[in-house]
Amino acid sequence: MKTTNKLPPIIIDTDPGHDDAMAIMLLIKSKLFDVKAITTVAGNVKIQDVTNNARYVLDLLESDVPIYSGETRPLKRQPVIAQVHGNGGLAGANITKTEKLNHEAVNQIIRIVRENPHEVSIVVIGPETNIARAFIKDPELPKIVKQLVIMGGTIEAPGNKGSVAEFNIFCDPEAAKIVFDSEVKIILNPLDVANHMPMFLEEFEKLKGSKLYQPIISMMTHFIKGIEKFELTKGALMYDPLVAYYLVNPKAYKLTNMEVHVETKGEYTYGMTVVDRRTWGEKNPNVSVITSIDRKSFVNDFVKIIRS
Ligand code: RIB
Ligand code: CA
């Protein structure tokens, strides 16, 4: 049997964002993956800013992974932006370059998946707009993507963008509905688990000596201030790195299959992930939901990988 030393191909679809930046660093520094592309999507901030921020992170990593900019606005609703990341989306980072927007994200997602059928995991850590557009353009795609590993939604936790919706889903509920109602395999990291796993500055201090230490401390100091101001939580909420880490060490995770649908019609529930939690009756589970993550493994591996 011919063994291959080919690294598993992945795409990171993202709206940097401080936690996105940590997720990108974790995946690339791990050297465990053939990172085919960073595809950017409007979310935390506008497409030009998220794309500039992606360039900043790749330059810090001295990485030649290509950046393909994507959708500039949601499928239907008016755009919303986040507050916790600051005006440019990466407060504390010294953004000096304006990355040229090539609007190629959707085409490149389709190309990469078709060139590597059933092998590509897409790490979806912003709104699902690019993914939905790719599924609309190529209806076969959900069958040939290996899996989507998504940060989004809530199961029982309150929303972080309004009372019931999580930000990524709230940004583009129609896109999320297309993705969740497709037959693609989804691993979902909702707010529920990540809310209780912030990282603290003293843990980031363990990066001292790494050339990424100073920029990470600067970004995380600003991020933590933003979180405390707008979400009253102590520490850096590591939503996106906790999705990325699933690909690094799935053994650190417990998952449960659930039936999850996205509300697109509700006056008070627009963007809510509606979960069938009844313990009786017929179920049509469409999502593997992360219900616990080994925090010690995550923090230890995060520090080890970023320092490597
Ligand atoms: O709700 C958390 C999500 O929204 C994260 O992906 C964060 O980066 C923001 O985009
Ligand atoms: Ca994000």
Side-chain angles (χ1 to χ4, degrees), residues 213-283:
Y213 167 73
Q214 190 283 324
I216 288 178
I217 287 293
S218 176
M219 285 188 277
M220 288 300 105
T221 304
H222 284 83
F223 184 40
I224 288 169
K225 281 200 184 86
I227 291 279
E228 285 177 3
K229 182 175 174 194
F230 293 103
E231 305 206 15
L232 307 181
T233 303
K234 291 270 176 247
L237 290 170
M238 300 291 272
Y239 295 119
D240 295 342
L242 285 166
V243 166
Y245 186 60
Y246 174 77
L247 292 179
V248 172
N249 181 14
K251 293 192 183 66
Y253 289 71
K254 286 199 177 70
L255 300 107
T256 303
N257 290 332
M258 296 184 188
E259 184 172 346
V260 183
H261 296 290
V262 178
E263 177 57 69
T264 57
K265 305 263 185 299
E267 183 179 351
Y268 300 103
T269 54
Y270 186 49
M272 180 178 185
T273 40
V274 180
V275 183
D276 186 343
R277 286 184 277 127
R278 289 170 296 179
T279 54
W280 65 89
E282 193 200 329
K283 292 283 176 301

Side-chain angles (χ1 to χ4, degrees), residues 13-33:
D13 191 69
T14 178
D15 65 336
H18 291 82
D19 55 328
D20 302 70
M22 297 302 109
I24 294 167
M25 289 185 178
L26 181 64
L27 289 167
I28 293 180
K29 289 283 286 184
S30 77
K31 297 188 171 42
L32 294 171
F33 308 100

Side-chain angles (χ1 to χ4, degrees), residues 15 19-20 44 85 125-126 151 160 166-168 191 239-240:
D15 65 336
D19 55 328
D20 302 70
N44 278 316
H85 300 287
I125 48 179
M151 190 285 130
N160 64 351
E166 176 279 326
F167 180 81
N168 287 339
L191 291 178
Y239 295 119
D240 295 342

Side-chain angles (χ1 to χ4, degrees), residues 42-44 74 77-81 127 129 166-173:
N44 278 316
R77 66 161 299 148
Q78 282 306 307
V80 294
I81 58 167
T129 318
E166 176 279 326
F167 180 81
N168 287 339
I169 309 293
F170 186 74
C171 272
D172 196 340

